[in-house]
Amino acid sequence: MPSNLSRAAAIALGAILACAPLFASPPRATAEIVPMPPHEKTFVSPNGISFMVGNRDETINRIPPLNMMGTTREALVSGVAYGRLDGGTAGKLRVGYHVGCAVEIGGSTIGVTPNFYYYDPDLDPGNNDPLAIAPVATLNLNPGQVTDVAMMEKTMVPGKQINLGVRDYHIRVNSCTGPVTLRQYTYVYLESEDTDDSGAVFGDSTWL
């Protein structure tokens, strides 16, 4: 008859195999470039200054992760963010990405733990083993978060269209199970003597 230690080892091995797909799902074998649609908006500040913000030529290049783990995602993102102030004294143009992970994986523990207990031979005459081995397989899953990945920022000059070009910016997400979502953002900040204002456009969401 197998000992408690043998049975516990077999159960622990089964737990390891059950958790393995979370960490070693086969990644995509080839890259995939996804073109994204452009976006543009025009705003008017409370003191009547017109300003515009937009993005174009955005692409998401989904690439296989270097560590070949199913819980890692990698992408190369490109695009052009632009804005124009038709007045005011100064401003800023900012571009970046919001990156969302569905479920984050915390530290995991897989092993066996000895449990000692007292038994009464009169009540349990068939039990002569006071040492029981209990398998342990714990996987900590935490609610996912949305992270702001700021990429570039530039001071704007009123009367001129300002552009920010991004080429193959590397985004990497680790320890995430489930989908990873990307969404590009472009902000324009207007400054004038009596009014500050802002406007933004957001790209379409896509997954990694």
Side-chain angles (χ1 to χ4, degrees):
M1 180 178 295
S3 67
N4 284 339
L5 182 59
S6 298
R7 290 194 299 270
I11 294 173
L13 178 59
I16 293 173
L17 295 176
C19 294
L22 290 176
F23 300 96
S25 299
R28 294 179 305 275
T30 59
E32 180 185 4
I33 300 178
V34 181
M36 307 297 290
H39 298 271
E40 182 179 299
K41 288 183 179 180
T42 298
F43 302 90
V44 178
S45 69
N47 61 348
I49 297 175
S50 176
F51 59 101
M52 174 266 290
V53 58
N55 63 46
R56 58 181 175 82
D57 302 333
E58 181 191 5
T59 59
I60 309 294
N61 185 3
R62 304 178 182 130
I63 59 176
L66 286 178
N67 62 4
M68 302 301 289
M69 294 293 289
T71 54
T72 297
R73 313 289 197 284
E74 292 191 59
L76 303 176
V77 299
S78 301
V80 177
Y82 58 92
R84 180 184 176 93
L85 305 178
D86 293 327
T89 57
K92 288 187 180 298
L93 177 66
R94 292 182 56 224
V95 62
Y97 274 83
H98 293 138
V99 182
C101 170
V103 180
E104 294 182 353
I105 301 175
S108 60
T109 302
I110 298 176
V112 294
T113 299
N115 292 329
F116 293 91
Y117 62 90
Y118 174 78
Y119 72 96
D120 187 339
D122 295 330
L123 298 178
D124 189 8
N127 188 351
N128 59 3
D129 185 2
L131 174 62
I133 304 296
V136 175
T138 303
L139 185 64
N140 299 318
L141 300 178
N142 304 313
Q145 300 183 20
V146 177
T147 302
D148 183 352
V149 180
M151 298 165 66
M152 300 180 71
E153 181 178 300
K154 186 174 180 61
T155 299
M156 301 184 70
V157 178
K160 292 185 177 181
Q161 179 169 311
I162 306 301
N163 302 285
L164 291 176
V166 177
R167 297 289 181 264
D168 289 338
Y169 190 99
H170 184 209
I171 292 180
R172 181 184 69 251
V173 180
N174 289 313
S175 301
C176 182
T177 182
V180 172
T181 306
L182 298 180
R183 183 182 61 202
Q184 195 244 40
Y185 65 79
T186 304
Y187 283 95
V188 162
Y189 298 93
L190 165 70
E191 298 177 12
S192 68
E193 293 182 356
D194 58 357
T195 302
D196 289 348
D197 205 344
S198 66
V201 293
F202 297 89
D204 291 3
S205 299
T206 188
W207 56 270
L208 296 183

